[in-house]
Amino acid sequence: MAILLFAFLASVLALLYAAIQSFFVLREKDGNEKMQSIAKAIREGSNAFIKREYKTVFVLAFVIAVIVALVLPHGLVLALGFAIGAIGSALAGYIGMMVSVRANVKVAKKAEKGMHEAFRLAFKGGSVTGFAIVGFALVSLTLFYYAFGNPDLMFGFMFGASLISLFARVGGGIYTKGADVGADLVGKVGLNLPEDDPRNPAVIADNVGDNVGDCAGMGADLYETYVVTIISAMALAFALNLGQAFIVLPLAIGGMAAIATLIGTFFVKLSKNKTYIMGALYKGLVATTLISIIGFYFLTYYMMHSLALFYASIMGLVVMAVMVIVTEYYTGSKAKAVRKIAESSNAGAGVTIISGLGYALRSSFIPMLVIIAVILSSYYAVGGSLSLNNFGLGVYGIAITAVSMLSVAGMILSIDAFGPITDNAGGIAEMSNLPKSVRDITDPLDAVGNTTKAVTKTYAIGSAAIASLSLFAAYKANLTDMLGSLFIQQFQIFNPLVLAGLFVGATLPFLFTSFLTNSVGVAADGIVQEVKRQVKEIKGLLTGKARPLYGRCVDIVTVISLKNLVLPGLIAVLVPLAVGFILGPLALGGLLLGVILSGFALAFLMTISGAAWDNAKKYIELGNYGGKGSDAHKAAVVGDTVGDALKDTAGPAINPLIKVENTVSLLFLALIVMYHLL
Amino acid sequence: MAILLFAFLASVLALLYAAIQSFFVLREKDGNEKMQSIAKAIREGSNAFIKREYKTVFVLAFVIAVIVALVLPHGLVLALGFAIGAIGSALAGYIGMMVSVRANVKVAKKAEKGMHEAFRLAFKGGSVTGFAIVGFALVSLTLFYYAFGNPDLMFGFMFGASLISLFARVGGGIYTKGADVGADLVGKVGLNLPEDDPRNPAVIADNVGDNVGDCAGMGADLYETYVVTIISAMALAFALNLGQAFIVLPLAIGGMAAIATLIGTFFVKLSKNKTYIMGALYKGLVATTLISIIGFYFLTYYMMHSLALFYASIMGLVVMAVMVIVTEYYTGSKAKAVRKIAESSNAGAGVTIISGLGYALRSSFIPMLVIIAVILSSYYAVGGSLSLNNFGLGVYGIAITAVSMLSVAGMILSIDAFGPITDNAGGIAEMSNLPKSVRDITDPLDAVGNTTKAVTKTYAIGSAAIASLSLFAAYKANLTDMLGSLFIQQFQIFNPLVLAGLFVGATLPFLFTSFLTNSVGVAADGIVQEVKRQVKEIKGLLTGKARPLYGRCVDIVTVISLKNLVLPGLIAVLVPLAVGFILGPLALGGLLLGVILSGFALAFLMTISGAAWDNAKKYIELGNYGGKGSDAHKAAVVGDTVGDALKDTAGPAINPLIKVENTVSLLFLALIVMYHLL
């Protein structure tokens, strides 16, 4: 009870902080009329997309909620949870976006005053997103558990959150890269309109994309990962009968880390030597991590009397650190891989792609080794130490590792949401013809955004891997409750049903991302056709005398994104149900594991290659290998285009895919088992 | 005994047929002096590479053989088997290549007489490879088993074959695409020398590549797959104590299919309407399949008294058919995917790549569904029908499915080896300035080669997936013998050690192919630098007055390929040993499965995307979207370059990788278990 109160108060504190920060952001100045009109166009486009996306998605969600309510035991509570999770996830995305589309123009304005001021405001904007999301997640989790007192009744909550986050990731992902690639291509199909040029009709759609993809998509994604991770740990403690303290520990860790994050924000400071912006952000992350460790020590040792759990919680922070380091190693703006890829661009676009794939293919190996080391050590430390060598308990250690990794999501999100704000600020500065001194401030801020985005993605996929293992353990625990431990012994890798499920699961991320990748091409083509049409039909557009119809481009990508969101969404929900009902719970268990196994490596391949190509292009633009406009640069641009689709659409969607597979399976497990027993 | 004799006689028949066909090929005319000198250069380059490759590889193989002989129980027999397998695999590659480098020029000469004659000769050349490899494999398997009478003693044989095939695939793969991409790039770095132009110093290296990659590499690979599949089925029958008839059935199936293939070759005929060359080849495949089915019926029903085994054997042929159909669906020269990729090339190289990846990412899903359907049905048909519902026996059904699929390898290889012969013939015709009418014959023959190569690769990966499951079953059966069935029950997907192994395994194909992909870039760069040097230093080279130093280019790629073959080779051998010795047999079992799970989808991604890009380029060259030289064509060339590295170097090497993981594990399993018991 005291712990619940603690978690509740911490979440209220986080929400308060978000409100205060948002107050400070909103009272900043908006800049001149031109800037405001551009910002307004971006804001309207983003709102229009989100409204239509949510309308589409909520129809589907409503149908599912009704099915859940009617078909499942405790259906009403599960449906209520589903609704809360879905709304929470949607809200998380929406808040992030709302702040971003307001802060962008203010940062552009602030950049007139200097780097320090612009940086501070942009981070303030990012932290609103971070704290709002973590605060909302924690407060709703705490209240829901307080109201119903049974983690198993929270499976609907999980599923709602992951389903919406999947749609937000897919829809936003197709939108953002369809618009981005389309806007880029416009220059190449003979129209000669640069990316951020106000005469380019796709320019607003492109800026809208940053907000709906990187803000709304990422916000929904991390909200969901946070919620799912905590619930799965609670459900595991419940299924293993570990007692109340173990059930609420994940909430306490979340609360503790929220406080640590709040303190950590004060450490985010640009030093006098202004060049290392990334360092200023990392300072906040390091501070948050250290304070969290101290907090976790008190929670686990004094409260739970177990240093083993403390150890497990530290492991989560270790995984986070490794993900950051590996991402920097392969994609940092001065990384060896990035420089090699840039160098290979001299031999043409083909070699750029080959070289980038070469590095990205290996990027998952070290993270994988770290994850298994952490799994094994958390498992044996907790399973071997807590009361009577209960190795069944080892999985709870893994779950706590996942919770601890996710607990600092507030800081990661603050850093991440910083990116699209500065990206937009740069675009607004360009389009409003602000003096070059302003771009000199926003450009380096924007460049950092590239790395922070990549870091957040590998953080998300790393946490998804561990979190889904604790979901997987919850699946096992629940199935044991239903069918007994003798049945569970059939979960052998030699069992043909398990094998079949593993095969389906391992192939699923490939199938799923296939549709996303193709949709980017379709959306980009839609943009190109529309721009061609406008150039032809609107007189004076190319000379800047007539205003292009920005809204039409926004509409077109919106429609294409929403149309192409349905099929992958259905695949994600229906494949596990089909496997469960046709082949049974053994195959379904295999599927859940298979998705993680190949999804992990595939997500790294896509995320890392994209970020590395992006920074290789930027490296050339700094003047290396002939600089902008050289043949090497043209080759690097091709790499960047391919990378856009992989790193911002296909790759990040694997994360919610993995979670949706797990949550839909947990939710419908009872029904599947009943079906097979009949 | 009678069965052994039958298999032996069938294998001798196959070898005789290969000898006769080779006699007919060799007595054909070689063409004029210029053609002969070019063919000689290709032959010498190929020989030089193979000699150096085998020297490098055999040093390593010798060390391993000595370790095996000294360290393992029955070490001498295992080492003898290892030597036979290694030599057999090397020989298989060598034979295929020797025929190819002699037949190429003869086909070019024959093309003067017309399509029918050229086609017949090229297929005759291909069938030498097909029958020699199957004949050698079957004769050595039969004799070795006759001599030692224990399938477990054949594990060394398997490992030898797969290790050499891995090296042949990796070395040949890096060579062929390093040279190909390098030769292509030469035109792009401002030298303006087309690919098959005799003034291009890289032209011979490029043609050598076709032989050492597609012939020697593919030959060694399929020899190994054939050998490994049969031995694993035999070992499984032995470990499950099914009796002598079950042990030798795989050899009988091999013998029966060899005879069916021999008859099938007479059905390979170009109809009057000459355009559908692929159809002529498929006629032979269909005939072989139908005759095999009849043969399998007699073998399984009259000899083994089991229609269930007949069913399992048919399933193998079904998988083969599906692989062919799916490959045609995504990569056929008129496939929808190919046309869409060609169309997307209008928007630039980035979209070409995105579009190709989009299709290839989904290409593994249907094959995967078919494979699990086949696994489940073979398993339950055999396990449920043969004496007393012995489901432990079901895996033997899966093994027979794999054997049956592999049994028609002779026909697949004949069709495949046809490809590089016609490819070289075209190159020789071009370089010797033969009349256009000759190219009009060799070009369509060559185009078919593209599809047959893709078909063989998906066939190889499909068979590898099923075969490795029977290896995996042999791993389990052997481990049960050593540690008892109680230990085996720990092989649950929830066991953290199994999980750790699965993770390592699933990430391994990514890591492994990473090095191959990068090596292609390095080799291509080596070629480009050397060509630049020659153009600068050799006066009169560009005007055709001075002869370029072809040999230097051959040497450079050879050295780079061999240098870059060692690391991936070591990774393939050492990772399973490390996992086995550090984490134990549970984790090792997980690794074996993990490699198959992600390797299957990754191999499809790489193979299908590459073949589709290649044919998209060819589709544009037919005059679509502006034809050769258009912007769309330039974009498609980038796709082709990326695809070269993926489809001919990285993708096909996953197949032997999967097998090496399994064979090295089986071979060292006893030692690993002993180590952990101490």
Side-chain angles (χ1 to χ4, degrees):
Chain A
M1 205 48 212
I3 291 188
L4 275 188
L5 191 65
F6 167 72
F8 177 74
L9 290 178
S11 64
V12 170
L13 194 65
L15 286 173
L16 262 179
Y17 186 75
I20 294 168
Q21 294 291 76
S22 120
F23 171 78
F24 281 120
V25 171
L26 289 179
R27 71 168 192 179
E28 291 292 337
K29 285 192 206 111
D30 274 340
N32 64 35
E33 210 171 301
K34 180 139 196 202
M35 289 162 73
Q36 286 193 41
S37 94
I38 294 165
K40 196 172 157 230
I42 297 175
R43 196 157 59 233
E44 285 172 0
S46 306
N47 274 329
F49 173 77
I50 289 287
K51 261 189 208 148
R52 280 161 78 168
E53 183 183 54
Y54 285 176
K55 217 156 61 184
T56 311
V57 168
F58 271 102
V59 172
L60 197 67
F62 183 74
V63 174
I64 293 177
V66 171
I67 295 176
V68 167
L70 292 178
V71 167
L72 294 180
H74 306 293
L76 274 180
V77 181
L78 290 171
L80 174 69
F82 179 85
I84 295 178
I87 293 169
S89 187
L91 207 62
Y94 189 69
I95 292 169
M97 208 193 71
M98 286 316 291
V99 178
S100 179
V101 294
R102 285 189 166 70
N104 51 13
V105 64
K106 296 173 196 288
V107 170
K109 174 78 189 156
K110 206 70 169 182
E112 292 172 355
K113 293 211 177 155
M115 174 69 88
H116 274 83
E117 285 76 5
F119 173 81
R120 236 191 332 257
L121 184 60
F123 180 74
K124 214 169 265 178
S127 66
V128 176
T129 308
F131 282 90
I133 290 178
V134 166
F136 270 119
L138 205 51
V139 80
S140 49
L141 285 170
T142 313
L143 290 178
F144 196 90
Y145 178 70
Y146 178 72
F148 297 101
N150 177 348
D152 281 359
L153 293 178
M154 296 167 92
F155 287 165
F157 197 148
M158 288 208 291
F159 181 51
S162 27
L163 191 67
I164 299 300
S165 108
L166 181 89
F167 282 119
R169 265 301 194 194
V170 171
I174 298 173
Y175 188 106
T176 182
K177 289 307 134 169
D180 187 359
V181 172
D184 281 357
L185 288 177
V186 165
K188 273 176 229 144
V189 292
L191 296 180
N192 229 8
L193 291 171
E195 196 181 341
D196 272 343
D197 191 302
R199 291 169 302 163
N200 187 336
V203 76
I204 296 292
D206 186 11
N207 276 285
V208 166
D210 292 334
N211 292 304
V212 303
D214 295 332
C215 281
M218 180 56 86
D221 185 356
L222 278 189
Y223 171 88
E224 173 256 9
T225 309
Y226 190 93
V227 162
V228 165
T229 307
I230 289 194
I231 296 181
S232 67
M234 293 171 74
L236 203 59
F238 182 71
L240 297 173
N241 267 318
L242 300 180
Q244 186 66 7
F246 287 83
I247 295 178
V248 295
L249 179 64
L251 293 172
I253 290 179
M256 185 60 84
I259 296 169
T261 307
L262 207 157
I263 305 173
T265 56
F266 294 102
F267 288 85
V268 176
K269 260 197 193 110
L270 214 53
S271 54
K272 294 281 173 271
N273 163 17
K274 294 182 246 180
T275 53
Y276 192 43
I277 302 164
M278 201 66 214
L281 297 170
Y282 282 148
K283 266 191 263 174
L285 188 58
V286 170
T288 303
T289 308
L290 294 179
I291 300 166
S292 296
I293 289 178
I294 298 170
F296 294 168
Y297 178 79
F298 283 99
L299 272 181
T300 50
Y301 187 65
Y302 284 104
M303 204 186 92
M304 311 288 296
H305 317 292
S306 160
L307 266 184
L309 284 173
F310 175 57
Y311 176 80
S313 72
I314 289 184
M315 285 295 107
L317 301 173
V318 168
V319 177
M320 179 206 64
V322 170
M323 295 299 153
V324 174
I325 293 167
V326 167
T327 310
E328 280 276 349
Y329 178 79
Y330 284 109
T331 74
S333 43
K334 283 164 193 160
K336 188 185 141 209
V338 167
R339 280 180 287 130
K340 283 271 175 191
I341 295 170
E343 189 191 330
S344 71
S345 299
N346 280 315
V351 187
T352 307
I353 305 284
I354 292 175
S355 170
L357 290 177
Y359 283 108
L361 278 164
R362 75 183 66 155
S363 64
S364 54
F365 201 74
I366 298 289
M368 180 278 300
L369 286 183
V370 171
I371 282 192
I372 64 171
V374 163
I375 288 173
L376 290 175
S377 64
S378 291
Y379 179 83
Y380 288 109
V382 175
S385 79
L386 282 179
S387 54
L388 19 126
N389 281 334
N390 181 352
F391 279 101
L393 202 72
V395 286
Y396 183 73
I398 297 173
I400 288 301
T401 299
V403 168
S404 139
M405 181 172 179
L406 253 303
S407 69
V408 294
M411 181 51 82
I412 296 278
L413 263 168
S414 303
I415 294 175
D416 183 73
F418 167 91
I421 295 175
T422 55
D423 189 345
N424 266 229
I428 292 172
E430 179 80 24
M431 286 185 270
S432 335
N433 306 314
L434 294 191
K436 192 176 164 295
S437 64
V438 171
R439 286 291 311 210
D440 285 348
I441 304 280
T442 58
D443 272 355
L445 289 177
D446 181 21
V448 166
N450 255 319
T451 308
T452 61
K453 277 196 281 183
V455 164
T456 313
K457 279 173 210 147
T458 51
Y459 168 78
I461 186 67
S463 66
I466 308 191
S468 58
L469 289 179
S470 87
L471 283 165
F472 187 51
Y475 179 83
K476 178 196 173 188
N478 274 272
L479 202 57
T480 314
D481 276 356
M482 298 177 197
L483 296 174
S485 61
L486 216 62
F487 179 81
I488 299 296
Q489 287 194 4
Q490 293 181 62
F491 266 109
Q492 290 184 16
I493 51 177
F494 301 106
N495 185 308
L497 286 170
V498 175
L499 258 178
L502 279 164
F503 258 111
V504 177
T507 322
L508 193 56
F510 288 80
L511 177 71
F512 178 74
T513 52
S514 154
F515 294 104
L516 305 196
T517 314
N518 267 0
S519 301
V520 171
V522 174
D525 194 51
I527 285 268
V528 171
Q529 301 309 329
E530 171 61 19
V531 171
K532 275 187 180 169
R533 193 191 64 80
Q534 289 197 21
V535 168
K536 209 168 137 193
E537 293 177 10
I538 302 174
K539 274 164 198 159
L541 189 144
L542 287 179
T543 53
K545 278 175 195 154
R547 202 182 132 103
L549 299 172
Y550 299 126
R552 283 287 300 148
C553 284
V554 171
D555 280 353
I556 283 173
V557 206
T558 301
V559 171
I560 295 177
S561 310
L562 295 182
K563 221 180 90 186
N564 284 285
L565 154 169
V566 179
L567 183 62
L570 285 180
I571 287 176
V573 175
L574 295 181
V575 167
L577 292 179
V579 167
F581 282 106
I582 298 172
L583 298 177
L586 288 173
L588 185 55
L591 179 144
L592 298 182
L593 185 56
V595 172
I596 308 168
L597 290 174
S598 76
F600 183 75
L602 192 61
F604 265 88
L605 170 60
M606 292 176 156
T607 305
I608 296 288
S609 65
W613 280 318
D614 197 343
N615 277 336
K617 188 189 76 171
K618 290 215 160 64
Y619 183 75
I620 292 177
E621 285 171 355
L622 288 177
N624 299 297
Y625 304 114
K628 224 166 178 166
S630 65
D631 281 347
H633 185 248
K634 278 177 199 145
V637 168
V638 173
D640 185 36
T641 303
V642 176
D644 273 345
L646 298 185
K647 79 175 194 296
D648 289 323
T649 310
I654 294 175
N655 183 14
L657 171 73
I658 294 176
K659 252 81 61 62
V660 165
E661 301 311 286
N662 277 282
T663 54
V664 73
S665 304
L666 272 173
L667 190 59
F668 283 89
L669 182 58
L671 207 63
I672 288 170
V673 168
M674 267 156 55
Y675 173 82
H676 282 279
L677 287 181
L678 288 180
Chain B
M1 204 48 212
I3 291 188
L4 274 189
L5 192 64
F6 167 73
F8 178 73
L9 290 177
S11 65
V12 170
L13 194 66
L15 287 173
L16 262 178
Y17 186 76
I20 294 168
Q21 293 292 76
S22 120
F23 171 77
F24 281 118
V25 170
L26 289 180
R27 72 170 191 175
E28 293 291 337
K29 286 193 205 108
D30 274 341
N32 63 37
E33 210 170 301
K34 180 140 195 204
M35 288 162 73
Q36 285 193 41
S37 93
I38 293 164
K40 196 171 157 229
I42 297 175
R43 195 155 61 234
E44 286 173 0
S46 306
N47 274 329
F49 172 76
I50 289 288
K51 262 188 209 149
R52 277 161 77 168
E53 182 184 54
Y54 285 175
K55 218 156 62 185
T56 312
V57 169
F58 272 102
V59 171
L60 196 65
F62 184 75
V63 174
I64 293 178
V66 170
I67 295 175
V68 167
L70 294 179
V71 168
L72 295 180
H74 307 292
L76 274 179
V77 181
L78 290 172
L80 175 68
F82 178 85
I84 295 177
I87 293 168
S89 186
L91 208 61
Y94 188 69
I95 291 168
M97 206 194 72
M98 285 315 291
V99 179
S100 178
V101 295
R102 283 185 169 73
N104 53 11
V105 64
K106 296 171 197 289
V107 170
K109 173 77 188 154
K110 205 69 168 184
E112 292 172 355
K113 293 209 176 157
M115 174 68 88
H116 275 82
E117 285 76 4
F119 172 80
R120 238 191 331 257
L121 184 61
F123 180 74
K124 213 169 265 180
S127 66
V128 176
T129 309
F131 282 90
I133 289 177
V134 167
F136 269 120
L138 204 51
V139 79
S140 48
L141 285 170
T142 313
L143 292 178
F144 195 90
Y145 177 70
Y146 179 73
F148 297 102
N150 177 347
D152 281 0
L153 293 178
M154 295 167 92
F155 287 166
F157 197 147
M158 290 207 291
F159 181 51
S162 20
L163 190 67
I164 298 300
S165 108
L166 180 88
F167 282 120
R169 267 300 194 195
V170 172
I174 298 173
Y175 188 107
T176 182
K177 290 306 133 171
D180 188 356
V181 172
D184 281 357
L185 288 178
V186 165
K188 275 176 230 144
V189 291
L191 297 180
N192 229 8
L193 290 170
E195 195 182 342
D196 272 345
D197 192 302
R199 291 169 302 166
N200 186 336
V203 76
I204 296 292
D206 186 10
N207 276 284
V208 166
D210 292 334
N211 293 302
V212 302
D214 296 331
C215 281
M218 179 55 85
D221 185 354
L222 278 189
Y223 170 88
E224 173 255 11
T225 309
Y226 191 93
V227 161
V228 165
T229 307
I230 290 194
I231 295 180
S232 66
M234 295 171 74
L236 203 56
F238 182 72
L240 297 172
N241 268 318
L242 302 179
Q244 186 66 7
F246 287 82
I247 295 178
V248 295
L249 179 65
L251 293 171
I253 290 179
M256 185 61 82
I259 295 170
T261 307
L262 206 157
I263 305 172
T265 57
F266 294 102
F267 289 83
V268 175
K269 252 188 201 122
L270 214 52
S271 56
K272 294 281 175 269
N273 164 15
K274 293 182 250 182
T275 51
Y276 192 42
I277 303 165
M278 201 67 215
L281 297 170
Y282 280 148
K283 267 191 263 174
L285 188 57
V286 170
T288 303
T289 307
L290 294 178
I291 300 166
S292 295
I293 289 178
I294 299 170
F296 293 168
Y297 178 79
F298 283 100
L299 272 182
T300 49
Y301 187 65
Y302 285 104
M303 204 185 91
M304 311 288 295
H305 317 291
S306 160
L307 267 184
L309 284 172
F310 174 58
Y311 176 80
S313 73
I314 288 183
M315 285 295 107
L317 302 173
V318 168
V319 177
M320 180 207 64
V322 170
M323 295 299 154
V324 173
I325 293 166
V326 168
T327 310
E328 279 277 347
Y329 179 79
Y330 284 109
T331 74
S333 42
K334 283 163 193 161
K336 188 186 142 210
V338 167
R339 280 180 287 130
K340 283 271 175 191
I341 295 170
E343 190 191 328
S344 71
S345 300
N346 280 316
V351 187
T352 307
I353 304 284
I354 291 175
S355 170
L357 289 177
Y359 284 108
L361 277 165
R362 75 182 66 155
S363 64
S364 54
F365 200 74
I366 299 290
M368 179 278 299
L369 286 183
V370 172
I371 283 192
I372 65 170
V374 163
I375 288 174
L376 289 175
S377 65
S378 292
Y379 179 83
Y380 287 108
V382 175
S385 80
L386 282 178
S387 55
L388 14 128
N389 282 334
N390 181 350
F391 279 102
L393 203 72
V395 286
Y396 183 72
I398 298 173
I400 288 301
T401 299
V403 168
S404 142
M405 180 171 181
L406 253 304
S407 69
V408 295
M411 181 52 80
I412 297 278
L413 262 168
S414 302
I415 295 175
D416 182 74
F418 167 94
I421 294 175
T422 56
D423 189 347
N424 266 228
I428 291 172
E430 180 81 25
M431 283 185 272
S432 336
N433 306 315
L434 293 190
K436 192 178 163 293
S437 64
V438 172
R439 284 293 310 212
D440 285 347
I441 303 283
T442 57
D443 272 354
L445 290 176
D446 182 20
V448 166
N450 255 319
T451 308
T452 62
K453 275 195 281 181
V455 165
T456 313
K457 278 171 210 150
T458 52
Y459 168 77
I461 186 69
S463 65
I466 308 190
S468 58
L469 289 179
S470 87
L471 283 165
F472 187 50
Y475 178 84
K476 177 198 174 188
N478 274 271
L479 201 57
T480 314
D481 276 356
M482 296 176 199
L483 295 175
S485 60
L486 215 63
F487 179 81
I488 299 298
Q489 288 193 3
Q490 295 181 60
F491 266 109
Q492 291 183 16
I493 52 176
F494 302 107
N495 184 308
L497 286 170
V498 175
L499 258 178
L502 279 163
F503 258 112
V504 177
T507 321
L508 192 56
F510 288 80
L511 178 72
F512 178 74
T513 53
S514 153
F515 294 104
L516 305 195
T517 314
N518 266 0
S519 300
V520 171
V522 173
D525 193 54
I527 285 266
V528 170
Q529 301 309 329
E530 171 61 18
V531 171
K532 274 187 181 169
R533 193 191 63 80
Q534 289 197 20
V535 168
K536 206 168 142 193
E537 293 179 10
I538 303 175
K539 274 165 197 159
L541 188 144
L542 287 179
T543 53
K545 280 175 192 152
R547 198 182 135 103
L549 299 172
Y550 298 127
R552 281 288 299 147
C553 282
V554 172
D555 281 354
I556 282 171
V557 206
T558 302
V559 170
I560 294 176
S561 310
L562 296 182
K563 220 178 91 185
N564 285 285
L565 153 170
V566 179
L567 183 61
L570 286 180
I571 286 176
V573 175
L574 295 182
V575 167
L577 292 179
V579 167
F581 282 107
I582 298 171
L583 298 177
L586 289 173
L588 184 55
L591 178 144
L592 298 183
L593 185 56
V595 171
I596 307 169
L597 290 174
S598 76
F600 183 75
L602 191 62
F604 264 89
L605 170 62
M606 292 176 156
T607 305
I608 296 287
S609 65
W613 280 319
D614 197 342
N615 277 336
K617 186 190 77 172
K618 290 213 159 64
Y619 183 76
I620 292 176
E621 285 171 355
L622 289 175
N624 299 298
Y625 304 113
K628 226 167 177 166
S630 65
D631 280 347
H633 185 248
K634 278 177 202 148
V637 166
V638 172
D640 185 37
T641 303
V642 175
D644 273 346
L646 297 186
K647 81 175 193 297
D648 290 322
T649 309
I654 294 175
N655 183 14
L657 170 73
I658 294 176
K659 254 78 65 61
V660 165
E661 301 311 286
N662 277 282
T663 54
V664 73
S665 304
L666 272 173
L667 191 60
F668 283 90
L669 182 58
L671 206 64
I672 288 169
V673 168
M674 268 157 53
Y675 172 82
H676 282 280
L677 287 180
L678 288 180

